Amino acid sequence: MQNSKSSLPGLTVGAIGVVFGDIGTSVLYTVKEVFATGHVQFTHDNVYGVLSLIFWTLTVIVSVKYVVLVLRADNNGEGGLVAMLTLASRAVADRPRLRHWMLLVGIFGTCLFYGDGVITPAITVLGAMEGLEVMSPEMAKYVIPLTLLVLFALFAVQKKGTAGIGKFFGPVMLLWFFTIAGLGLLHIAKHPEILWAISPHYAWGFGMHNPGITFIILGAVVLCVTGGEALYADMGHFGKRPIRLAWFSIAMPALTLNYFGQGALLLADPEAVKNPFFNLAPEWATLPLVALATAAAVIASQALISGAYSVTKQVIQLGFLPRLQILHTSVHDKGQIYMPFVNWGLFVLIVLAVGMFRSSGNLAAAYGIAVTTDMLITTVLTFFVVRYAWKLPLLVCLGATGLFFTVDILFWSSNLLKLIHGGWFPLVIAGAVFLLMVTWRDGRALLTQALQDTALDLKEFLGALFIAPPTRVEGTAVFLTSRDGIVPNALLHNLKHNKVLHAQNLFVTVHNHEVPWIGMEKRLEAEALGSDCWRVSVNYGFKNDYDLPKALSLLEGRGVDLNPMTTSYFLSRDIVTPTLGKGMALWREKLFAQMHHSASAAAEFLNLPSNAVVELGSKVEI
């Protein structure tokens, strides 16, 4: 969460560096793609109409929808689709069928983030490198190799963390926004009348005279708001006020000036449409601008990569993915994490995208469907938050979200035209991730049910055990169990094979809650079971970092000895075998079994010490 002691200017600069990288680099390709469709002729009214569409798209979707409305829907100060989903699902907890479908829709929206996470680095870095072609057509052959080199370097440094270079993000993006604003002003000064395009009647007139063309180009116009979701997703890091201040004082004015500068350039020189952004610059400034654009593209990509780690961690803690290895790259900031599987999985898919599409123009055909679907899902979830969590009247709720829903539907429908031209690519990625998530959730539910059918009650078992107690040995045993009040398999195996019981025994269950943060004062609940045994519940929010030993240290004042040298952690792992007709298709059961067997990072995920012991349980059929 944001540091309350941080100054407003410092948080604002930080927001510029992290929040606005994606939307800030949209000037590289938006105008080019609108006119690259070949449907819009270079007439005075058409250029004014396109610029007006871009300006009012930024205004309605980003300024009004996200900055004014959606930022109000915070979950204990946190934002993002996962936070919105938990708010909405809690608000309709008394409507189980609605909540079920809402969770599925919200999780699919989260999966779309991964599709966006593949396209964004590819299109932004490619778009920056294509500036070399403006310098000399001979440089075209170096664009893809240099793009892949930059992307490889970016993903290779992730394991070292971004704390060192993160402090430069804000100043670099400030320089970027001032540069694009200056380039726009340079051409606006030659044609100041272009500023009249701010009037919405130009957008309205263009749409009325060219309804079919307007619908088609909306799929390119929407590129100007890619990254708008980041305003909401990063709210917890910076707060509402710095994000709003950064948007209205720096980001939006700079973007508007640059778009209008590109429009003025096209009116003066229609040939500049091949790359209107880089043609804004004098010839001597093209190479420095390519370098600055590449830096901005890397920053935009970095924010999205870090977001992928954060989102993955959150959905793991909500129970939709198996535990994956999480490495902390900073001793000071727990939010600085690195997930090797996510990192290199994204890189492989990005290389595939660059190799398949080979230009920012081709990638633009794949870009937009994931973004607009996410925006549509956010609007739908916002309605349920406004209606059922905030308890506002139905007409007010429909009025607050109806306009945005209509706008989102228009952009989403237009982007469906891209489906066969590459729009399927991010949807395939999102669909694959969604399949993994729901399979893991359903498989865990089946596994839990199967274990419940044979589970022994913990209190009754201990009562019977201590009638004729086994040999007690020194030390403390921590048994992790998925459910409160049942006997963990690891305890049964310890008694069967070692025929001993530790002097102290903790039966620990970790609970994940649909809130972002749970403080240490509510982290732990304990119940004494007698004979130096305790039932312990440990509570985490979906943005908390797991540190089980630290949480259990709260018991030391209650007479529990947690000396690291004499404390052992026991994790039960059940052998899962799929069977036919138990609730999922056989191929999904096999997929779950494979995911279950490969989810071997539980000890690292819970931040357990190296003396954690994994006990193999008995075979469980699902």
Side-chain angles (χ1 to χ4, degrees):
M1 299 179 68
Q2 71 265 29
N3 186 350
S4 59
K5 295 182 180 179
S6 299
S7 65
L8 181 60
L11 287 171
T12 302
V13 173
I16 285 290
V18 174
V19 178
F20 298 104
D22 191 359
I23 199 169
T25 52
S26 61
V27 292
L28 290 169
Y29 42 78
T30 300
V31 174
K32 180 177 70 171
E33 294 309 317
V34 170
F35 288 98
T37 61
H39 298 290
V40 184
Q41 296 180 344
F42 286 101
T43 66
H44 175 278
D45 288 343
N46 284 354
V47 172
Y48 274 51
V50 168
L51 292 179
S52 189
L53 276 173
I54 290 174
F55 175 79
W56 286 102
T57 298
L58 284 169
T59 300
V60 172
I61 292 183
V62 182
S63 298
V64 182
K65 175 184 171 181
Y66 281 100
V67 177
V68 174
L69 176 63
V70 175
L71 282 184
R72 297 176 182 270
D74 66 289
N75 189 348
N76 293 330
E78 291 296 324
L81 197 56
V82 173
M84 176 74 81
L85 175 60
T86 57
L87 277 176
S89 63
R90 288 208 308 268
V92 296
D94 57 339
R95 295 171 172 83
R97 285 186 62 82
L98 176 61
R99 185 175 186 273
H100 170 76
W101 286 107
M102 186 182 296
L103 281 171
L104 289 180
V105 170
I107 289 299
F108 183 71
T110 303
C111 296
L112 287 168
F113 180 86
Y114 295 96
D116 190 24
V118 171
I119 302 294
T120 295
I123 194 172
T124 51
V125 178
L126 259 177
M129 286 298 175
E130 285 169 354
L132 296 173
E133 298 178 15
V134 176
M135 293 176 55
S136 170
E138 302 262 335
M139 301 291 288
K141 60 185 177 182
Y142 299 110
V143 169
I144 291 179
L146 287 174
T147 296
L148 294 176
L149 183 63
V150 169
L151 288 169
F152 175 76
L154 174 62
F155 280 89
V157 301
Q158 294 302 311
K159 62 183 177 182
K160 299 184 181 296
T162 59
I165 60 174
K167 61 186 177 182
F168 298 110
F169 285 2
V172 171
M173 289 307 299
L174 272 177
L175 177 61
W176 169 255
F177 280 116
F178 286 137
T179 300
I180 66 174
L183 290 172
L185 280 171
L186 185 67
H187 290 269
I188 290 172
K190 299 175 184 178
H191 302 278
E193 66 276 6
I194 197 74
L195 292 175
W196 286 112
I198 288 177
S199 173
H201 87 273
Y202 285 104
W204 179 262
F206 181 82
M208 290 297 99
H209 287 96
N210 310 282
I213 292 174
T214 302
F215 180 73
I216 291 171
I217 69 169
L218 285 179
V221 171
V222 77
L223 296 175
C224 74
V225 294
T226 55
E229 285 276 345
L231 277 75
Y232 181 46
D234 290 316
M235 178 172 61
H237 296 290
F238 302 100
K240 302 173 187 177
R241 192 179 175 195
I243 290 175
R244 287 170 173 158
L245 181 60
W247 172 249
F248 286 117
S249 65
I250 297 173
M252 185 174 183
L255 291 170
T256 302
L257 289 172
N258 191 267
Y259 284 126
F260 279 55
Q262 291 187 50
L265 171 65
L266 292 177
L267 283 177
D269 179 16
E271 291 297 317
V273 73
K274 294 177 181 177
N275 202 318
F277 175 78
F278 283 103
N279 278 308
L280 288 173
E283 187 175 343
W284 60 266
T286 304
L287 185 59
L289 185 59
V290 169
L292 181 59
T294 302
V298 166
I299 291 171
S301 302
Q302 176 60 62
L304 200 141
I305 294 167
S306 300
Y309 300 154
S310 178
V311 167
T312 303
K313 176 188 166 188
Q314 291 174 30
V315 295
I316 288 172
Q317 293 183 206
L318 286 175
F320 283 90
L321 279 178
R323 297 182 179 103
L324 299 173
Q325 185 181 26
I326 297 178
L327 304 177
H328 290 268
T329 59
S330 171
V331 296
H332 304 292
D333 184 2
K334 287 191 173 183
Q336 293 276 339
I337 61 174
Y338 169 67
M339 303 182 73
F341 179 82
V342 175
N343 186 72
W344 294 111
L346 274 178
F347 176 72
V348 169
L349 290 172
I350 289 170
V351 170
L352 180 63
V354 172
M356 286 174 56
F357 294 97
R358 305 189 70 79
S359 74
S360 62
N362 293 335
L363 275 166
Y367 209 20
I369 288 185
V371 173
T372 52
T373 307
D374 249 351
M375 289 179 175
L376 188 60
I377 290 172
T378 297
T379 300
V380 172
L381 293 179
T382 301
F383 169 80
F384 288 103
V385 171
V386 173
R387 175 65 175 146
Y388 295 105
W390 298 353
K391 308 293 185 184
L392 295 180
L394 179 60
L395 287 179
V396 174
C397 300
L398 291 174
T401 59
L403 170 64
F404 305 124
F405 183 81
T406 303
V407 172
D408 290 339
I409 280 288
L410 283 173
F411 281 111
W412 180 75
S413 301
S414 176
N415 274 277
L416 289 181
L417 299 175
K418 299 179 177 182
L419 198 60
I420 61 174
H421 300 293
W424 55 269
F425 185 70
L427 292 182
V428 167
I429 295 172
V433 176
F434 181 74
L435 175 64
L436 291 176
M437 286 188 181
V438 295
T439 297
W440 182 257
R441 182 203 62 176
D442 294 346
R444 291 297 298 172
L446 290 171
L447 180 61
T448 299
Q449 185 60 50
L451 292 173
Q452 284 179 356
D453 294 340
T454 57
L456 300 174
D457 182 79
L458 179 61
K459 289 184 178 180
E460 292 181 2
F461 178 82
L462 291 178
L465 179 67
F466 286 113
I467 293 175
T471 303
R472 307 292 289 266
V473 296
E474 292 184 3
T476 300
V478 179
F479 296 97
L480 277 87
T481 177
S482 60
R483 285 184 58 236
D484 282 323
I486 66 170
V487 180
N489 285 336
L491 173 62
L492 298 175
H493 280 257
N494 192 44
L495 291 170
K496 178 180 178 180
H497 297 293
N498 299 324
K499 298 179 174 56
V500 296
L501 189 69
H502 284 73
Q504 294 182 320
N505 298 274
L506 306 181
F507 302 96
V508 179
T509 305
V510 174
H511 295 281
N512 297 298
H513 299 271
E514 293 182 358
V515 295
W517 306 97
I518 291 180
M520 292 301 291
E521 70 279 1
K522 298 180 180 179
R523 175 74 77 236
L524 189 138
E525 301 169 10
E527 175 190 359
L529 302 176
S531 303
D532 289 321
C533 296
W534 288 267
R535 182 196 62 79
V536 181
S537 295
V538 183
N539 303 300
Y540 290 102
F542 61 77
K543 295 204 75 172
N544 282 125
D545 286 301
Y546 282 124
D547 192 334
L548 196 57
K550 182 178 180 180
L552 294 179
S553 67
L554 298 172
L555 290 169
E556 290 182 347
R558 308 185 192 187
V560 178
D561 179 18
L562 288 168
N563 186 331
M565 301 300 296
T566 58
T567 300
S568 299
Y569 294 82
F570 294 85
L571 292 84
S572 296
R573 182 172 307 146
D574 304 291
I575 303 172
V576 182
T577 58
T579 57
L580 187 62
K582 293 290 185 177
M584 288 196 299
L586 181 59
W587 66 271
R588 286 186 67 206
E589 290 187 356
K590 290 184 176 180
L591 175 62
F592 170 73
Q594 183 60 43
M595 292 169 70
H596 190 278
H597 292 322
S598 61
S600 57
E604 289 186 44
F605 189 82
L606 294 168
N607 201 26
L608 297 182
S610 57
N611 64 337
V613 178
V614 176
E615 291 282 352
L616 288 178
S618 57
K619 183 182 296 184
V620 179
E621 295 183 346
I622 62 170

